[in-house]
Every structure is written in structure tokens, then in C-alpha cells.
Amino acid sequence: QKEVEQDPGPLSVPEGAIVSLNCTYSNSAFQYFMWYRQYSRKGPELLMYTYSSGNKEDGRFTAQVDKSSKYISLFIRDSQPSDSATYLCAISVGGAQKLVFGQGTRLTINP
Amino acid sequence: SAVISQKPSRDICQRGTSLTIQCQVDSQVTMMFWYRQQPGQSLTLIATANQGSEATYESGFVIDKFPISRPNLTFSTLTVSNMSPEDSSIYLCSVDSSSQETQYFGPGTRLLVL
């Protein structure tokens, strides 16, 4: 069983839709949860990170963590074509320590 | 966030040769990391580059194949030695944030081994 499971997609939605991206993990020792966005031929860009259960909002993006279910989500509101990218979840036991990445979900927003 | 640059951005190499990738950060950082991203795959940690001591390698990665240097708090190199086509990947450098709660990534080095 992988430590982090993420549906690779691809996921295609119309512009303006709400997008939901999800990961599950197996080890309850994981405490830090991150979402990265990676455009084609670029390095991963940190979108959000949190170390507690609950929601964290930043503009059109909301990260949600449910430690009891070992389930994390990223919601994108009012999705734009510029949001088309691969989204990677990453988790760690101790912040900037070893990150374990999900497989990444390829997202396309259609105009 | 830190500004991270990598050189070269891409290269095409012959099997059996070695390539050294450089990672430069615009500010001093505590931790630097090297990842590999194989085609269509996610990121896998190769090693943590420690300033003033040997790098710490993850399972499946060895120093003879991926020697790493970290001469100061803003610079590190990763060498991919005796390359084979299986080493064709994107190699990414990352650094810890000032709060040490997350990591920031460089743009990556795209390597193709023929």
C-alpha cells in the first residue's frame, strides 16, 4: 500500500466549475499537509500547507484536512484555464522533513 | 519564498558519462533536498544535502551513483554518475522554508540519456 494515494486523473472541467482534488494517506504520524501545482516543464509551486485538521483558505483555493479519516482535499472555486496543471499533494511527519508525494492529478479547465 | 535556480536546465547525455547539476539559492537555508521525477511520475526524494557532512540518502539511492556536495548554506550539487537511459528524468532541488514547515522547489533539470 502506498503511503499517499492520489487519483492521477486526468480531470477535465468547464471554466467556472468548482474543482475537488483529493488524497488519502495511511500513516497517522503524518502531521504536515501541502498542495503543489506543477505546470508542464516547470518545478512544483507551493500553493498551500497546513498542519492541522480543518480548512485553510487562500483566495480561490481551500485546503481541507481530516486527520481522523486520513483524507485531504483541495478545492478550487471559479476555476480558470490558467489553473490547468498537475496538482500534487505532499505530506510529512515533520514539516520540511522528508516529503511523501501523491502521484499527482492532471487537471484541465476548458474555456 | 526563496528563489532557487538550477543549472543546466536541460541536457542530453551519452550513457556511461556523468552530469553534475547545480542548485543555487538566493538566501541561506538550513536544508536542501534532491528529488527525481521520472516521466509521468511523481517526485521521489533522493537525498538530503547536509552542509559540512555527508548527504543522507533514501532507500534505493547510493552515494556512488548520486554523489552530492553542499559546500555552504546556499549551494549544492548533485552528480548523476555512469548514466544509463533509466536515469532520464527531471531532477529537482528544493529547500526548506524559513519556518521549516514546508519546501520550495527549483525549476528542475531535464535529463535525457541516450
Side-chain angles (χ1 to χ4, degrees), chain A residues 36 38 49 96-98 102, chain B residues 33 37 42 58 100-101 103:
Chain A
Y36 289 85
Q38 186 174 27
Y49 75 94
Q97 302 298 320
K98 173 184 175 181
Chain B
F33 306 88
Q37 186 174 27
S42 190
E58 296 299 308
Q100 298 190 347
E101 290 183 334
Q103 294 180 22

Side-chain angles (χ1 to χ4, degrees), chain A residues 3 9 20 29 32 42 63-64 66 75 82 84-85 87 89 94 96 98:
Chain A
E3 290 185 286
S20 173
Y32 288 78
K42 301 289 186 182
Q64 189 174 82
D66 182 347
F75 298 96
S82 58
S84 298
Y87 289 79
C89 64
K98 173 184 175 181

Side-chain angles (χ1 to χ4, degrees), chain B residues 11-78:
Chain B
D11 207 341
I12 300 173
C13 301
Q14 298 297 317
R15 70 172 65 209
T17 62
S18 298
L19 176 71
T20 295
I21 302 169
Q22 298 179 4
C23 178
Q24 179 75 55
V25 193
D26 69 340
S27 58
Q28 293 185 343
V29 294
T30 304
M31 305 177 76
M32 297 182 78
F33 306 88
W34 287 98
Y35 288 81
R36 182 173 72 183
Q37 186 174 27
Q38 294 180 302
Q41 302 298 314
S42 190
L43 282 74
T44 302
L45 180 64
I46 297 172
T48 302
N50 302 308
Q51 196 266 331
S53 64
E54 245 182 42
T56 303
Y57 289 83
E58 296 299 308
S59 176
F61 297 97
V62 295
I63 187 171
D64 289 347
K65 176 66 175 177
F66 298 101
I68 288 171
S69 78
R70 174 96 189 264
N72 56 50
L73 294 176
T74 64
F75 186 79
S76 178
T77 66
L78 169 74

Side-chain angles (χ1 to χ4, degrees), chain A:
Chain A
Q1 181 186 8
K2 291 182 179 179
E3 290 185 286
V4 182
E5 298 276 1
Q6 182 177 10
D7 186 341
L11 179 62
S12 181
V13 301
E15 182 176 357
I18 296 175
V19 177
S20 173
L21 304 167
N22 311 293
C23 289
T24 59
Y25 62 96
S26 57
N27 188 345
S28 58
F30 289 125
Q31 298 292 331
Y32 288 78
F33 308 93
M34 298 149 218
W35 286 96
Y36 289 85
R37 177 175 64 193
Q38 186 174 27
Y39 291 113
S40 181
R41 299 178 180 275
K42 301 289 186 182
E45 171 194 9
L46 179 68
L47 281 176
M48 302 182 72
Y49 75 94
T50 181
Y51 53 83
S52 61
S53 283
N55 294 350
K56 183 176 182 180
E57 189 173 317
D58 184 1
R60 296 185 295 110
F61 298 90
T62 299
Q64 189 174 82
V65 175
D66 182 347
K67 288 186 177 180
S68 62
S69 301
K70 301 186 182 67
Y71 192 86
I72 63 175
S73 301
L74 178 71
F75 298 96
I76 306 174
R77 292 184 300 281
D78 188 26
S79 56
Q80 305 293 312
S82 58
D83 295 327
S84 298
T86 296
Y87 289 79
L88 298 141
C89 64
I91 57 176
S92 76
V93 172
Q97 302 298 320
K98 173 184 175 181
L99 295 186
V100 180
F101 281 84
Q103 190 173 349
T105 300
R106 180 182 288 184
L107 172 67
T108 300
I109 309 297
N110 300 303

